[in-house]
Amino acid sequence: MKMKMRMKKVLAVILAATMLLSLSACRTPSEFYHEVVLGETSPNGKKAKKESDNKEDKTEDKKEDKTEESTEDVEYAEEENQEFQDFLWDYFEKSVTSDTIEYKSSIKDPSSYPDIVMEEATLGDARMDQEAVAESKKEDEEFLDDLLAFEDAELTEDERFTYECLKRDMEINMHKYDNIYFYDPFTPMRGVQEGLTSSLTDFAFDNKQDVENYITMIGQIRDYFGELIKFEYEKSDAGYFMSDSIADDVIEQCDEFMKNKDDHVLIESFDEKVEAVDFLSEDEKADFKEQNKTAVLDVIIPAYEDLKSALEELKGTSQNDLGLPGYDGGKQYYADYIFPKYSSSAKTPEEEIEVMDKRWDDLILQMTAIYYSNSEAYEWYVDHSEDAFEKYDEMDIEELVNFLQENCMDDYPLEGSIPFNIKYMSDSVAKISDSTLAYYQVCPVDDPDYNLIVVNGLHDTDLFNTLAHEGTPGHMFQFWYFRNTNPNPARSVAFNLGYIEGWAVYSSNDVLKNFDFEGGNEYGSVIGQLAQIDMDLSYLMIGRVDLGVNYEGWDKNDIADYLKGKVAEGNEESAAEELMNTVIGDPGAYLSYTTGFYEMEELRQYAENELGSKFDAKEYHKTVLDAGSCQFDMLKKKIDEYISENK
């Protein structure tokens, strides 16, 4: 999953990367926090050993209420409801045929689903005019109405869970129409312009038709951008255009993309892929290369020029330089749509703020306890934190992924090993994706054994945490496992980011918690704990600022006040400005990691408290993975069943 790796850039460049323990000047917890300044960090680490007992107490009553509700006796049908199965199939078919890139990433072998056919290669419908939005809203309303028709239908247990998951997702999704102008297609992190390079370089050529489809698609890019640029003008007229600072960030991305036109990354990567196939003749390869080069120079780069020109023209029309609360209805939109969509949490923003504020204090106490109980280990980590991972950074990537599978999966339901391939970015792609260490390319629905981890060879540190997150027990294991449970295809296209990223952060931190880092000394058992706290604070800081800005209405001064004592004195203002740009540019983006992780951890603690000595980590993880991607209140129903069966 690529967005997780974007965390690397934000945390390192901004400040959220509080590599709190990495400064040799730090000697006590007090000094430690006052001397924190930006540092290198991985997008993954975090959790401290102990979670707030008080937080657990405060939510216990609500948990018990939900448990009673979810464990009521429910009568399920013994046979599948064919009408509902047909409904789910139609949903799956529509999802995977929305565009050719989605189809290709979801279905590796078209013969797996012969009834699903892409009539023509397409990037999808980019129209955002009022008529198109109204049409989309109507379609979603009709889909929800059709879904709700099964509310009282006889469904199997699996069908009922699928129904409830889809219902919850659609109820949240409908809130995007509360004000469509809050959506922006060109954001620094999630924008179309940012993700295009990886989408095209990752597009696999398995046959000649794939190459032809690719050429057809890239020929549509300028028109596709054109429709979205029209929407930017409409947003500007309505008073919702992005702030100048965000526009500058996107313009900078456009400039970076348009460098080196003749040996552009999309020319070089295409040539490399075409040369590697054996189903094209030399003449065909030469012809496709020429078609691609022409499209890059005459279609794709001009599309970015169009975008840059439009943003430059529209700069200065923004009527809000703050977060969503700076708009009428923005705070409610964040609460109803952004927060639940990206966190997968049923909590309110106020509840999550309380969780985060309490967690900071808990982490400080945990670190203090480590310092006073084992000051020598603490001091060693302060001075040698990167040395603790040096052994693993020196491993070959494939060797390290195998090492994690063989040594860190005792508490996870993995039998045997997961097949995978490692792909290194070309030099041109690696340079343009400098902030990305690696990412997992989600396996197709029809081939869970087709696992690919894409690695940026320009980086040679932080590999242990990165590959635990992207590989095992993180994303690769998560998707491979669920695909192998043979779920209804409709469940395989669900992407609840809080669940997905929450699992990867939770499981990779579970590795840190339980792994004894050798480091050439006696402090191995403490290193993982310190690394956890370090990463947890990084996630926590940026997640809390997101809530502060986009829900509570913080400005830069409020962020600077929050950062006092958390970053090096004197750096608060510059750090506040960078964080402000990050969270107003892509509201809620990091909640998938922060809140998603905390929800995963909370459910684990809940199950342990309920079962005591009967708790089994492997069985618990199996329950979480069997559920598949869903909102956390839906996952809790599965956890309640697990608890009820094992008490």
Side-chain angles (χ1 to χ4, degrees):
M1 298 291 289
K2 178 162 284 187
M3 197 182 80
K4 170 225 167 242
M5 296 310 304
R6 301 292 299 169
M7 186 80 143
K8 176 85 178 173
K9 179 179 181 181
V10 176
L11 296 186
V13 175
I14 299 180
L15 106 316
T18 3
M19 213 35 190
L20 301 180
L21 302 170
S22 66
L23 302 178
S24 59
C26 301
R27 284 297 179 268
T28 70
S30 175
E31 293 172 338
F32 191 65
Y33 279 92
H34 285 284
E35 293 183 47
V36 172
V37 71
L38 348 169
E40 291 291 322
T41 189
S42 81
N44 6 6
K46 83 203 10 19
K47 158 77 187 145
K49 262 179 136 178
K50 170 186 173 239
E51 182 69 359
S52 164
D53 292 335
N54 289 339
K55 182 186 83 170
E56 190 173 292
D57 292 342
K58 289 179 181 179
T59 58
E60 192 64 34
D61 289 341
K62 285 191 288 185
K63 287 178 183 175
E64 289 175 356
D65 291 340
K66 290 180 181 178
T67 302
E68 290 176 6
E69 179 182 321
S70 62
T71 55
E72 289 179 355
D73 290 334
V74 178
E75 291 188 8
Y76 297 111
E78 294 183 4
E79 296 184 0
E80 290 183 341
N81 184 314
Q82 190 57 51
E83 186 177 358
F84 186 61
Q85 290 296 317
D86 292 342
F87 175 84
L88 294 179
W89 177 261
D90 290 343
Y91 169 72
F92 172 69
E93 181 177 18
K94 183 176 180 181
S95 297
V96 299
T97 58
S98 59
D99 62 76
T100 302
I101 291 176
E102 179 66 26
Y103 175 81
K104 182 64 179 175
S105 63
S106 299
I107 300 176
K108 188 174 191 317
D109 181 3
S111 66
S112 300
Y113 299 103
D115 295 334
I116 298 180
V117 179
M118 287 292 296
E119 297 295 338
E120 58 184 16
T122 176
L123 288 172
D125 187 356
R127 294 176 303 131
M128 290 294 295
D129 56 83
Q130 292 184 10
E131 181 180 349
V133 171
E135 180 182 322
S136 176
K137 181 180 180 181
K138 182 180 179 182
E139 288 179 359
D140 284 348
E141 288 174 337
E142 290 175 349
F143 175 85
L144 182 56
D145 287 343
D146 290 342
L147 176 65
L148 293 174
F150 294 99
E151 179 75 29
D152 298 321
E154 292 187 2
L155 303 175
T156 65
E157 183 175 1
D158 182 67
E159 287 177 329
R160 178 58 61 184
F161 186 72
T162 298
Y163 168 82
E164 295 291 347
C165 287
L166 271 177
K167 176 184 173 184
R168 181 63 49 81
D169 290 347
M170 284 303 299
E171 288 171 343
I172 293 170
N173 192 56
M174 291 306 299
H175 283 291
K176 70 184 178 185
Y177 298 109
D178 292 350
N179 188 334
I180 200 65
Y181 292 134
F182 288 145
Y183 166 72
D184 200 307
F186 300 112
T187 64
M189 185 186 305
R190 299 185 294 234
V192 174
Q193 84 294 338
E194 198 282 331
L196 183 66
T197 300
S198 60
S199 293
L200 295 181
T201 56
D202 287 346
F203 192 91
F205 294 160
D206 294 322
N207 50 58
K208 184 177 180 180
Q209 186 64 55
D210 286 338
V211 185
E212 293 174 341
N213 287 343
Y214 180 94
I215 296 296
T216 299
M217 284 192 305
I218 61 176
Q220 302 169 359
I221 286 175
R222 193 173 189 184
D223 290 339
Y224 190 94
F225 271 45
E227 289 293 336
L228 299 177
I229 290 170
K230 289 179 187 176
F231 183 60
E232 291 291 354
Y233 280 95
E234 187 177 324
K235 279 166 58 76
S236 176
D237 290 341
Y240 291 93
F241 185 66
M242 66 184 74
S243 70
D244 286 359
S245 62
I246 301 304
D248 285 337
D249 287 345
V250 178
I251 289 170
E252 184 179 347
Q253 290 178 335
C254 292
D255 286 336
E256 183 64 30
F257 180 88
M258 293 186 290
K259 286 181 179 178
N260 307 317
K261 294 182 181 179
D262 288 334
D263 56 351
H264 193 272
V265 59
L266 292 182
I267 295 176
E268 292 188 350
S269 64
F270 181 89
D271 289 353
E272 290 170 3
K273 288 194 294 183
V274 165
E275 280 299 328
V277 305
D278 59 6
F279 50 77
L280 296 176
S281 69
E282 292 304 314
D283 287 344
E284 287 174 323
K285 289 180 180 180
D287 181 50
F288 279 128
K289 287 180 183 179
E290 187 60 33
Q291 290 184 56
N292 175 70
K293 183 174 182 178
T294 299
V296 171
L297 297 179
D298 295 347
V299 178
I300 301 179
I301 289 178
Y304 279 79
E305 291 172 343
D306 294 344
L307 175 58
K308 177 181 177 180
S309 296
L311 296 181
E312 289 178 334
E313 181 180 350
L314 292 172
K315 277 181 63 177
T317 66
S318 173
Q319 297 183 23
N320 175 32
D321 290 331
L322 302 176
L324 284 168
Y327 296 111
D328 184 29
K331 178 177 180 177
Q332 195 62 45
Y333 178 85
Y334 183 86
D336 292 341
Y337 180 63
I338 295 292
F339 182 79
K341 176 178 175 62
Y342 290 103
S343 72
S344 302
S345 174
K347 288 186 174 68
T348 65
E350 289 95 341
E351 290 171 331
E352 187 60 20
I353 287 169
E354 184 178 354
V355 167
M356 289 187 181
D357 288 344
K358 185 70 172 67
R359 191 178 187 89
W360 186 276
D361 294 337
D362 291 342
L363 292 171
I364 296 283
L365 289 173
Q366 291 173 37
M367 187 178 60
T368 302
I370 292 174
Y371 174 77
Y372 286 113
S373 65
N374 196 337
S375 60
E376 290 184 0
Y378 176 95
E379 294 283 357
W380 185 91
Y381 184 77
V382 166
D383 292 331
H384 306 93
S385 59
E386 291 191 6
D387 295 345
F389 297 89
E390 183 177 9
K391 169 183 174 181
Y392 308 101
D393 289 338
E394 292 176 350
M395 284 185 179
D396 174 79
I397 297 296
E398 184 174 350
E399 179 187 7
L400 181 51
V401 174
N402 281 323
F403 174 86
L404 289 165
Q405 288 201 55
E406 294 166 5
N407 295 276
C408 301
M409 298 297 290
D410 288 347
D411 288 342
Y412 298 88
L414 175 63
E415 302 297 332
S417 61
I418 302 172
F420 67 91
N421 289 304
I422 300 297
K423 172 187 173 184
Y424 283 88
M425 300 176 190
S426 66
D427 289 343
S428 53
V429 174
K431 289 175 183 176
I432 202 171
S433 304
D434 180 61
S435 62
T436 301
L437 278 72
Y439 63 89
Y440 170 66
Q441 187 174 322
V442 178
C443 57
V445 175
D446 62 331
D447 190 358
D449 286 342
Y450 184 76
N451 294 287
L452 188 64
I453 297 178
V454 182
V455 178
N456 187 331
L458 299 181
H459 296 276
D460 58 4
T461 60
D462 202 30
L463 297 176
F464 185 93
N465 288 335
T466 297
L467 293 174
H469 185 116
E470 300 296 341
T472 53
H475 288 314
M476 183 170 75
F477 175 56
Q478 173 186 40
F479 280 94
W480 174 86
Y481 179 92
F482 185 66
R483 296 280 200 263
N484 274 297
T485 64
N486 194 31
N488 187 293
R491 291 298 321 285
S492 291
V493 295
F495 276 81
N496 299 86
L497 286 173
Y499 173 98
I500 291 169
E501 295 297 348
W503 169 265
V505 176
Y506 159 84
S507 60
S508 59
N509 277 276
D510 190 49
V511 170
L512 284 177
K513 178 175 64 176
N514 293 302
F515 195 72
D516 187 357
F517 291 88
E518 297 172 7
N521 59 64
E522 67 273 28
Y523 307 132
S525 61
V526 178
I527 290 170
Q529 298 174 43
L530 294 174
Q532 280 183 285
I533 296 172
D534 200 2
M535 294 300 97
D536 201 335
L537 290 166
S538 299
Y539 281 108
L540 176 54
M541 186 179 292
I542 196 168
R544 181 64 182 91
V545 170
D546 192 291
L547 282 157
V549 170
N550 288 305
Y551 185 74
E552 296 179 289
W554 286 5
D555 59 19
K556 291 177 185 176
N557 291 332
D558 295 318
I559 299 175
D561 288 342
Y562 172 74
L563 297 178
K564 287 178 181 177
K566 298 179 175 68
V567 299
E569 188 174 350
N571 286 338
E572 296 92 346
E573 290 187 8
S574 61
E577 184 172 354
E578 294 291 345
L579 278 172
M580 186 74 170
N581 278 354
T582 298
V583 299
I584 66 173
D586 289 273
Y590 292 109
L591 296 176
S592 305
Y593 304 90
T594 305
T595 302
F597 165 53
Y598 299 160
E599 291 283 338
M600 280 286 180
E601 184 184 69
E602 183 178 296
L603 285 174
R604 162 78 179 253
Q605 292 173 346
Y606 166 60
E608 285 193 43
N609 290 340
E610 290 293 316
L611 291 175
S613 62
K614 295 181 180 180
F615 177 84
D616 180 87
K618 181 178 288 189
E619 286 300 311
Y620 172 79
H621 289 147
K622 183 178 185 302
T623 301
V624 173
L625 293 164
D626 282 340
S629 179
C630 60
Q631 292 283 317
F632 282 110
D633 56 344
M634 297 302 302
L635 178 58
K636 185 175 182 297
K637 292 183 178 182
K638 292 297 185 181
I639 301 303
D640 284 335
E641 291 175 8
Y642 159 75
I643 291 170
S644 178
E645 292 168 0
N646 288 277
K647 268 194 170 180

